[in-house]
Amino acid sequence: YIANADNYSSIKVFRSPTKYEFYEVEQGIGSWYTVTSELLKKSSVISGDVSAIGYVLATRMADEFGDDVAIAIIDASYIGSGIYSWIEFNYFKETFGNTSYTDVQDGIERYNDYVSFYLENGRYPTSDSEVSSYHEKPYRKTPGVCYNAMIAPIEGYTAKCVIWYQGEEDSSSHKDTYGIFFDALKESYKKAFSNEDLKFFAVQLAPYATNQGDFTVTQYNLGEADDTFVISTSREGPVLNASDLAHGTIHPSIKSPIGHRVADSVLKNVYGLYADEVVEAPRVVSVTANGNKLIITFDTELSLSYGKPTNIIANKKKFSKQTNRSS
């Protein structure tokens, strides 16, 4: 990709600075870049790395639409950030302020305390002796702070879709409620970009030791919404083998397969290309009991891995699995 980058002059990247704030930043931060081979190297002058997955998507779009169509990718990311930080603060407070979800009240209190301290002292607190709700890394659990610094400045841009690659920070504390906060994030972004038809492509966490199980399934279930498509980081699909995952790392080291999966889904579901192609994991239509069997109906045909039979184990009882194309 680095060697061929100079052949894709139509690709532009906007890189938001990696930062958080307790107030909405005005326009004027971040920069647009024309992607070149030099830009993609580690010694790049760009502030932060370019999203490999986003860039692979851009090259596929450039191949489809030609050099006459500018392809714009906005890269707004902060490693280790939580989903709270990417939701607009006032919307978060209105939606969840009276709920008992984990860390919600602490996050709202921290935001307000930091703002009050700043107004009094001209700086943010540096220890819990200054503010009781102090957190060394507020971008992990504080609502709105990444949105303020990296999304607010680009409000009003025309956006076609969002690639959402996040979840490690929330895999334990929000394994049951993540979908609720993700819905709030989607509404927040649809408003920011004035696009009620905005599509979201959620990249599922690879099955690393700390994020297997319930949270991975929760992410898979995000795809039940009409505006959300789940992209697997595993070779065989969600919740299965992770051949893209290098041993001992949390994220796949081979980015191009995931980038192509995102591209397949974006080209189909945003631009209407390859309408007859199956690019997403099969969705469950219904589950019914029939004696000692569970009949699981999917929305498309299934091919089982390596031709082996597939069984479901539940409560130490073994059920055979039958699949039908239609209900």
Side-chain angles (χ1 to χ4, degrees):
Y1 283 96
I2 292 175
N4 292 324
D6 293 339
N7 296 323
Y8 289 98
S9 59
S10 62
I11 297 178
K12 316 294 180 184
V13 170
F14 180 91
R15 186 67 171 89
S16 295
T18 302
K19 61 184 299 185
Y20 61 87
E21 291 290 354
F22 287 81
Y23 60 91
E24 291 195 1
V25 177
E26 299 295 330
Q27 295 183 359
I29 66 170
S31 301
W32 282 102
Y33 297 88
T34 297
V35 178
T36 63
S37 296
E38 185 64 28
L39 188 73
L40 291 183
K41 294 179 180 178
K42 280 293 184 179
S43 58
S44 165
V45 296
I46 198 169
S47 177
D49 294 329
V50 177
S51 165
I53 293 172
Y55 183 71
V56 172
L57 165 64
T59 61
R60 285 282 302 280
M61 294 176 65
D63 289 340
E64 288 289 342
F65 302 129
D67 292 337
D68 294 335
V69 177
I71 309 298
I73 299 293
I74 296 173
D75 191 337
S77 52
Y78 201 129
I79 188 171
S81 57
I83 192 170
Y84 285 6
S85 68
W86 293 98
I87 304 172
E88 196 274 326
F89 176 76
N90 290 321
Y91 186 83
F92 182 95
K93 184 177 180 179
E94 293 172 4
T95 305
F96 302 112
N98 295 321
T99 66
S100 58
Y101 292 129
T102 304
D103 297 330
V104 163
Q105 299 304 329
D106 289 344
I108 293 174
E109 179 183 357
R110 182 181 306 112
Y111 188 101
N112 291 328
D113 287 350
Y114 269 58
V115 170
S116 297
F117 186 92
Y118 184 87
L119 292 175
E120 293 178 6
N121 300 278
R123 63 176 177 84
Y124 292 130
T126 57
S127 70
D128 54 10
S129 64
E130 294 182 326
V131 169
S132 59
S133 61
Y134 173 78
H135 195 293
E136 182 182 6
K137 298 177 179 179
Y139 56 85
R140 296 177 61 184
K141 299 292 185 183
T142 310
V145 294
C146 286
Y147 183 98
N148 287 344
M150 290 183 272
I151 302 301
I154 56 175
E155 286 181 351
Y157 276 21
T158 301
K160 285 284 191 178
C161 63
V162 174
I163 304 174
W164 178 248
Y165 196 148
Q166 189 274 337
E168 182 70 25
E169 173 61 31
D170 300 309
S171 59
S172 57
S173 57
H174 298 143
K175 61 183 179 182
D176 298 320
T177 56
Y178 188 79
I180 297 172
F181 297 114
F182 186 69
D183 286 342
L185 179 139
K186 291 193 295 184
E187 291 304 313
S188 186
Y189 283 38
K190 288 179 180 181
K191 179 179 178 181
F193 298 110
S194 302
N195 184 359
E196 286 299 317
D197 295 323
L198 193 65
K199 300 293 191 299
F200 294 80
F201 298 83
V203 180
Q204 194 178 35
L205 288 183
Y208 186 70
T210 59
N211 54 42
Q212 292 190 33
D214 293 344
F215 186 76
T216 316
V217 174
T218 295
Q219 286 191 311
Y220 175 70
N221 290 337
L222 299 178
E224 293 179 352
D226 292 338
D227 58 3
T228 305
F229 306 89
V230 178
I231 309 300
S232 173
T233 53
S234 302
R235 180 172 62 89
E236 302 295 350
V239 203
L240 295 177
N241 298 329
S243 65
D244 301 329
L245 186 65
H247 178 69
T249 61
I250 294 177
H251 297 289
S253 58
I254 305 174
K255 304 295 185 184
S256 56
I258 305 169
H260 284 296
R261 292 169 200 160
V262 173
D264 287 340
S265 194
V266 168
L267 290 171
K268 176 180 178 180
N269 294 296
V270 176
Y271 295 96
L273 302 178
Y274 313 117
D276 296 329
E277 298 291 328
V278 176
V279 299
E280 291 88 29
R283 299 186 184 188
V284 175
V285 176
S286 64
V287 180
T288 58
N290 182 8
N292 68 340
K293 298 178 180 179
L294 289 178
I295 311 300
I296 304 177
T297 304
F298 295 89
D299 62 354
T300 188
E301 290 184 356
L302 300 182
S303 57
L304 302 183
S305 176
Y306 307 113
K308 297 178 181 179
T310 300
N311 294 314
I312 295 177
I313 307 298
N315 297 326
K316 297 183 179 180
K317 294 181 179 179
K318 193 171 185 178
F319 298 88
S320 66
K321 179 179 176 183
Q322 299 182 2
T323 59
N324 305 309
R325 184 166 189 175
S326 64
S327 59

